[in-house]
Amino acid sequence: MNQQRRSLLKYSAVFGLMASAGLISVAQAQEWNKAAFEGKGLDDVFKILGAGSPDKSAAVTLNAPDIAENGAVVPVGITTTLKAEQMAILVEKNPSALAAQFFIPAGTEPFITTRIKMGQTSNVYALVKADGKWSMAVKEVKVTLGGCGG
């Protein structure tokens, strides 16, 4: 099976399950930003998300380990004091920079936690969109065993 078709089927299934579970709306599942997840570098993803050049902010906190023994399961969390509309996690040296994107419903506590894959030691970026402006926090995470096929 061709790789693009496999990826499309995988993402369609994931978004379908999330929509049926009520985690995201059907409209959000249909409008996911495929181009952002295919962006190869930080600048590509920033441009596709409309983030331009996000400012570092003390209002955004990135929770990640200093050292990840297994890059296949790196716990990452974002908290903020801003009224977040979206949050995203980017890994600078991964084959695809955008690891996760979250839409935060109004009135929801702006906090996310997940596990990501990292192929090697890299800077991890936490992006938060609030009031139409993107802010970020950055942290280097050292990986001892790569999780992206490495």
Side-chain angles (χ1 to χ4, degrees):
M1 182 183 307
N2 125 0
Q3 187 63 29
Q4 282 185 318
R5 183 168 183 241
R6 181 176 291 167
S7 293
L8 179 63
L9 290 174
K10 178 176 73 172
Y11 288 124
S12 296
V14 169
F15 282 103
L17 285 172
M18 290 175 71
S20 66
L23 297 174
I24 60 174
S25 71
V26 174
Q28 285 174 321
Q30 291 172 347
E31 294 178 13
W32 72 285
N33 196 344
K34 181 179 177 184
F37 281 97
E38 292 177 345
K40 298 301 177 197
L42 294 175
D43 291 335
D44 289 346
V45 177
F46 289 162
K47 182 178 178 182
I48 294 166
L49 291 176
S53 182
D55 296 324
K56 288 186 181 179
S57 173
V60 177
T61 303
L62 173 61
N63 301 307
D66 293 330
I67 299 173
E69 292 186 20
N70 184 349
V73 287
V74 181
V76 178
I78 303 172
T79 56
T80 183
T81 56
L82 304 171
K83 293 186 181 195
E85 303 162 16
Q86 291 183 49
M87 292 184 176
I89 299 169
L90 284 76
V91 182
E92 186 172 24
K93 294 183 182 175
N94 269 7
S96 296
L98 183 59
Q101 182 179 17
F102 302 89
F103 294 89
I104 312 299
T108 304
E109 184 177 347
F111 166 79
I112 60 101
T113 185
T114 191
R115 295 183 185 271
I116 62 171
K117 286 186 175 186
M118 293 181 65
Q120 59 185 305
T121 298
S122 179
N123 285 329
V124 176
Y125 292 76
L127 269 67
V128 173
K129 183 179 182 182
D131 298 321
K133 182 182 175 201
W134 288 90
S135 301
M136 71 174 182
V138 181
K139 180 176 184 176
E140 182 183 51
V141 177
K142 294 181 177 160
V143 175
T144 58
L145 175 65
C148 293

